Amino acid sequence: MAAPVMTRSALIGWVVLAAAIGGVWAIQELAVPWTDPYYTDIVVRVGMNLLAVMGLALVLGFTGQFSLGHAGFMAVGAYTAGALNMYLHWHPVACLVAGGLSAAIAGVIVGLPSLRLVGDYLAVVTLGFNGIIIVLIQNAEWLGGAKGMIGLPTFTNFGWTFTFVLLGGMALRNLIASGQGRVFQAVRDNEIATRSLGIDTTRVKVTAFVIGAFWAGIAGGLVAFHRGSIFPTQFQYDRSIELVAMVVLGGTGSLSGPLIASSVLTALPEVLRPIAQYRMVIYALLLIGMMILRPTGLLGARELTDVLRFKKKSAA
Amino acid sequence: MTVFLQQLINGLSLGAIYALIALGYTMVYGTLSLINFAHSEVFMMGAFMALYLARWTGADVHPSIASVSLVVVGTMAFCAVLGMTIERLAYRPLRKSGRLNLLITAIGVSMLLRNGTLIACGPLASFPTLLPEAQWQLADGLTVRSMDVITLSVTLVLMVALHHIVERTQMGRAMRAVSHSRDAAALMGIPVDRVIAFTFALGSSLAGAAAFLRAVDMHKIDPEMGTNMGLKAFVAAVLGGIGSIPGAVVGAILLGLSETFVSGYLTSTYRDAIAFCLLIVILLFRPSGILGKHAPEKV
């Protein structure tokens, strides 16, 4: 097809992305030094969760594959980034990208055999993968073992976190709107029908898994450079479950819904800090109440833009 | 050889506890297709209930057959009621919605119970000695503890009772029917809601018995004790083929044995990874577990 190098809307998209990244760095340079570090810290933690959640939104929300091992990919990314920085003294950004890539490779290794399993069995295998990763790290002395890896640079700040959030958000939004994105949703809605159309559904599922793992790996790398230390217990299966809860609460089949849910759920424990003793109980009650009262999640399969405009924008 | 026999005894004893918990997972999965994450918390709260019952009956100071039996029966009854309450309040309102919602609710219930117990009962409690603690030296390096004998015999009795309930009673037949096809069972006039409530009660009471045995053996209980045990028991249920009652027992014994043999012969640091490696290997070759039935997808 003799398509132009770049369509008008694609050009606008790139300009908006560049402007947004510029805006993030303007905030980093101008506003962050004047803000209470406590609040900046919460916002950065929200950003790291956003990255992990958007990858899982693709796997769980759009492709319908129930993965309970997403935190395992974060661990792979975090420890790859940490080790490359510690032993080879790579620049943190290079470490982050390498962390994302190694998580993606882990995604292929886990995904290829296990994505032939359906439903809950896949969930269990990914859960198992998460458990194995943690045990392996705990037994690897050169990665700090159970005592954790310490002494990494504290590189993660508002600017870098949200640069990656914007890149990831843009990439996933475009992917979901593309033909490949339709294929993901077709697998979710009816795998057998999709297969009968000649689509290799295992391949589609592995692709989604790998992309999700990549962004989880980036998120893990950011976590490693956030406090300058990482511990295996940070990436245990309760973290994976928390990420699944964020996607389901936000709405499966929506990208902005999980992002809103993860922002709220990350910030909520901080808001509830005055009643610290009861905050986990309140968190749990909210989760149950939300599921009973609004089973489709916050936005269902819609996006924030649909809700704000009250009708779906036709594709240009 | 003595090492082998010793690990065999330890493994069977551990597997028996896993089996009692795994049965609850597998029965609930059979009827609702739900991974009941709250089940591990029922186990944990059973241990705390056993502690309070022991204090109330005075069994912690002067254990007698009557008072200890009262503790066991009371714990099992408490867990049964707890399981039914969870089902009634949290799962039944979601009967018509998606399975993912049910799963998230189960996770929420689990968090609620764990953190609620932490607030109400504190982070750690020591558990009194309720059962006689003897050791018999059968050979050099081969000891049998009274706790192992008690655990295995209690488990065996409960298994026989469960088998009788599931295979020989009206309610058991209804449970099997609901597990086979909930819609068809409802059309045949089986009160599905009541059967599901009974399934929860039955599974939870077994978890209560497991909690009692575990607490007596460990001498300490904490609100986190359910998390790891629950996860292992769930893995055991999947190993055996989730939804299958004999499968849960087979999977649990297999898991208990492999864990003790790995920590006995190789190294104990990789012990927790064994459960998951075993799981992945078995699922790759037998995707529906050892005794699970393969259900072909229908268009």
Side-chain angles (χ1 to χ4, degrees), chain B residues 185-236:
Chain B
L187 288 174
M188 296 299 123
I190 293 171
V192 172
D193 279 342
R194 212 190 304 161
V195 173
I196 291 174
F198 181 77
T199 310
F200 271 84
L202 202 58
S204 303
S205 64
L206 293 176
F212 172 80
L213 293 169
R214 181 77 177 168
V216 171
D217 197 15
M218 290 285 121
H219 292 297
K220 58 179 174 26
I221 54 177
D222 65 274
E224 297 288 330
M225 70 186 282
T227 316
N228 206 19
M229 287 300 282
L231 191 60
K232 298 282 185 59
F234 171 62
V235 166

Side-chain angles (χ1 to χ4, degrees), chain A residues 32 41 114 118 153 177 194 246 306:
Chain A
V32 170
D41 187 75
S114 56
V118 284
T194 313
M246 287 171 178
D306 306 336

